[in-house]
Amino acid sequence: MKANRICNFNPGPAALPLVVLEEIQENFLDFNGSGMSITEISHRSKHFDDVINDAVARTKRLLDLGDNFHVLFLQGGASMQFAMIPMNFLAENSTADYVDTGTWSSKAIREAEIQGKSIKVVASSADKNYSYIPQNIKFNADAVFVHLTSNNTIKGTGWAKFPDTQGVPIICDMSSDIMSKPIDAQKFGLFYAGAQKNVGPAGVCLVVIRRDMLGRVPDSVPTMLRYDTYAAKNSLYNTPPCFAIYTLDLVLKWLEDTVGGLEQMAALNRKKAALLYDFMDAGTFYRATAEPDSRSLMNVTFRLPDENLEQQFIQQALQNGLGGLKGHRSVGGCRASLYNAVSVEAVESLVDFMKTFERKSG
Ligand SMILES: Cc1ncc(COP(=O)(O)O)c(C=O)c1O
């Protein structure tokens, strides 16, 4: 029976490519002739080794990572990275720079502060409700890293270009835009992403770490919270989230083989975002909340003339097969998340619906 699927604009967990879901369904009871489901096989088996090695190889190819990077799969979500980063890299007498661009970067800052680490918040866009990305930031030369959030899922902003940190490695939360476009990996000491937006289901956090960063981990950090534990064992120190890694691998296969890589993905993502922003900019009924030069291509946040209309909009959109358009509870309004698996056609349907709704209500 054909499933009755909606156009899914959820912020995360979010839409996955239909072909990936179908492949999971088809192989679910008998993975690769093993006679077992992927959820039943040993993480020490050759079957799973092939999966994890393929996921690592695809991540390296897609992001054009040199041999000096490790690709790791951790649990605890992106939120656990907020705590692990200062724990692993901020030894006594060292300091780091953080940029505060909204909820998630504020949480990363808080986790360093809880541990009593020395950090400096070198820029913040809190003065304008995080509607922009700070520019011309003065970084500290003695910082051991600079922490950024590449895409601010809740506030709808993103870095169009990463800042020049004068050689200080960037550590970046890429949870909501990883694999949405090519990046210059050499700028980063580490980047990480909860998989559940662009690369898979919830349950695994993708971490890419430059090899030299591993030498900085103090002896006092517990085994499961150390990056070198995962790097030494190809993320198999203990039982990893096998199903989530398997799904992530299939999403990366789709990105490589069907989409054609990150340049092609970026072109599609630009097209989708332009469809929505250009439509809103042409009128006055819908108002994008982020400043134009700081707009996210992944999470388009917008307001309607009043909250009552926003509620009707979200409800009626769902009745028309367009789901997940409610803004985050902390900011209200509306948000359309246009992750990789959201098609151009889905965005066109959304714009068509927005036109109709405006005509009826405006
Ligand atoms: C940018 C960003 N960072 C971190 C998180 C938290 O991720 P997790 O739920 O995997 O801890 C989110 C979740 O939406 C996010 O959007």
Side-chain angles (χ1 to χ4, degrees), residues 32-230:
N32 266 358
S34 65
M36 293 174 278
S37 166
I38 182 71
T39 55
E40 299 173 305
I41 64 172
S42 166
H43 61 293
R44 306 273 173 218
S45 63
K46 160 99 176 63
H47 285 296
F48 190 71
D49 251 354
D50 290 347
V51 170
I52 198 165
N53 290 336
D54 197 57
V56 169
R58 287 186 188 281
T59 303
K60 287 192 163 181
R61 278 200 300 274
L62 279 159
L63 293 169
D64 197 17
L65 302 176
D67 286 340
N68 59 334
F69 284 96
H70 285 279
V71 175
L72 311 176
F73 301 106
L74 274 67
Q75 300 187 59
S79 300
M80 201 169 80
Q81 297 306 302
F82 299 162
M84 276 178 72
I85 289 160
M87 207 179 273
N88 279 256
F89 304 128
L90 277 180
E92 237 171 283
N93 300 324
S94 60
T95 177
D97 285 353
Y98 278 70
V99 179
D100 182 15
T101 49
T103 313
W104 299 111
S105 44
S106 308
K107 288 196 173 182
I109 290 164
R110 178 84 190 112
E111 290 299 314
E113 287 172 350
I114 286 174
Q115 295 174 55
K117 301 288 186 182
S118 158
I119 63 157
K120 297 187 188 86
V121 179
V122 287
S124 164
S125 47
D127 59 337
K128 289 191 186 166
N129 196 19
Y130 297 109
S131 59
Y132 70 101
I133 297 290
Q135 299 298 327
N136 306 317
I137 303 168
K138 184 145 176 15
F139 295 102
N140 292 295
D142 62 345
V144 293
F145 64 82
V146 170
H147 185 277
L148 305 175
T149 310
S150 54
N151 184 77
N152 299 285
T153 325
I154 294 175
K155 309 292 180 182
T157 62
W159 295 79
K161 192 169 169 282
F162 289 109
D164 180 2
T165 55
Q166 305 286 327
V168 175
I170 300 176
I171 291 188
C172 191
D173 177 359
M174 297 191 187
S175 291
S176 48
D177 67 350
I178 188 119
M179 303 274 182
S180 67
K181 59 185 173 189
I183 52 163
D184 173 8
Q186 297 305 329
K187 289 187 171 158
F188 300 93
L190 182 152
F191 52 95
Y192 59 100
Q196 65 273 15
K197 297 158 198 302
N198 253 341
V199 285
V204 64
C205 183
L206 173 64
V207 176
V208 174
I209 182 167
R210 216 172 61 195
R211 190 157 290 158
D212 61 283
M213 300 290 287
L214 293 170
R216 306 180 183 195
V217 185
D219 290 344
S220 58
V221 178
T223 311
M224 283 298 288
L225 297 172
R226 310 174 61 91
Y227 292 110
D228 50 3
T229 300
Y230 297 86

Side-chain angles (χ1 to χ4, degrees), residues 8 25 46 55 72 86 127 131 134 140 199 252 264 286 304 329:
N8 182 352
Q25 190 177 41
K46 160 99 176 63
L72 311 176
D127 59 337
S131 59
N140 292 295
V199 285
L252 300 188
Q264 285 82 348
Y286 300 98
L304 274 67
R329 60 190 180 282

